[in-house]
Amino acid sequence: MNVFINDIPLILKKSNEKVHRHHYDLVLDADNHFTSKDLVGDVLIKGADPQLIDRIVRLMEVKKLKKLNSLTLVANKKKQLIEHLKDQFKIVKAGGGLVLKDGKILMIYRLGVWDLPKGKLNKGEKTQDGAVREVEEECNISVEVLNKLPKTWHSYAFKGKKILKKTSWYLMECTDDSLMKPQAEEFIEEVRWMTPEEAMEVLPKAYTSIAFIVREYLQSLKSGKV
């Protein structure tokens, strides 16, 4: 489960999953005393339980943890921890696509941030159908789905409610971009084809969840999995 709270990755791992301690700047146990100021770089906390999840979510929502790059929680009962995390939010489902054409990636520029086309599913709409519809509407192109990509979850507040948006991502191929243009109603200013190198250059100006999807695709491309 790839969760992003205030654009910071929250990673949940089971206790029997391999964890390399040297990959982290700080390693803690759940019962260790720590404050938000201690959470710097890539942090690992072992023995996570529902009480810790509650505390961590509050810290990540309320405090501006600018020095925290990622937070990994290791738990004996990972599934229960995930369900406890979900229970704190209203779940909203969305779909989106990483669209390819001639080896280039379609990026959109919205509200000062580089993004991938995506949007909420309509009631009763199948996930893949919604993802295709959103991509085609936001960029005025035609696409076909090639494969699935990892899902992402990111939190935000809306009208006083805590929302956790589950986005199902798909790898897509553009079949027609002759009339391509940004959907102004969705505050999209630009739609641009980028080489993998160009896409990597703009990722620092993208949401962390978007950067995660692009990097996952490029890594799978490099390893020959797609």
Side-chain angles (χ1 to χ4, degrees), residues 98-100 103-108 114-116 192-206 210-211 213-215 217-218:
L98 189 153
V99 187
L100 305 174
K104 293 185 176 182
I105 298 170
L106 188 64
M107 301 290 293
I108 67 174
W114 285 103
D115 203 348
L116 293 173
R192 186 193 303 180
W193 291 108
M194 296 186 182
T195 64
E197 294 77 16
E198 289 170 337
M200 287 295 292
E201 285 181 8
V202 303
L203 290 189
K205 296 180 181 178
I210 298 301
I213 291 297
V214 174
R215 289 193 177 104
Y217 163 69
L218 292 177

Side-chain angles (χ1 to χ4, degrees), residues 3 29 53 85 95 121 124 157 164 174:
V3 189
D29 288 311
I53 276 281
L85 176 64
L121 303 182
L164 190 61
C174 179

Side-chain angles (χ1 to χ4, degrees), residues 59-114:
L59 283 176
M60 296 178 78
E61 288 178 334
V62 176
K63 301 287 185 179
K64 292 184 178 180
L65 304 176
K66 294 182 178 180
K67 295 182 179 180
L68 178 63
N69 296 331
S70 70
L71 183 56
T72 300
L73 303 182
V74 178
N76 291 325
K77 299 179 179 180
K78 178 182 172 182
K79 287 184 179 179
Q80 290 183 12
L81 212 61
I82 289 174
E83 291 308 312
H84 183 78
L85 176 64
K86 290 180 183 178
D87 285 343
Q88 300 185 46
F89 298 88
K90 177 184 177 182
I91 307 297
V92 171
K93 295 181 179 180
L98 189 153
V99 187
L100 305 174
K101 181 185 178 184
D102 300 328
K104 293 185 176 182
I105 298 170
L106 188 64
M107 301 290 293
I108 67 174
Y109 193 70
R110 174 170 25 206
L111 299 174
V113 182
W114 285 103

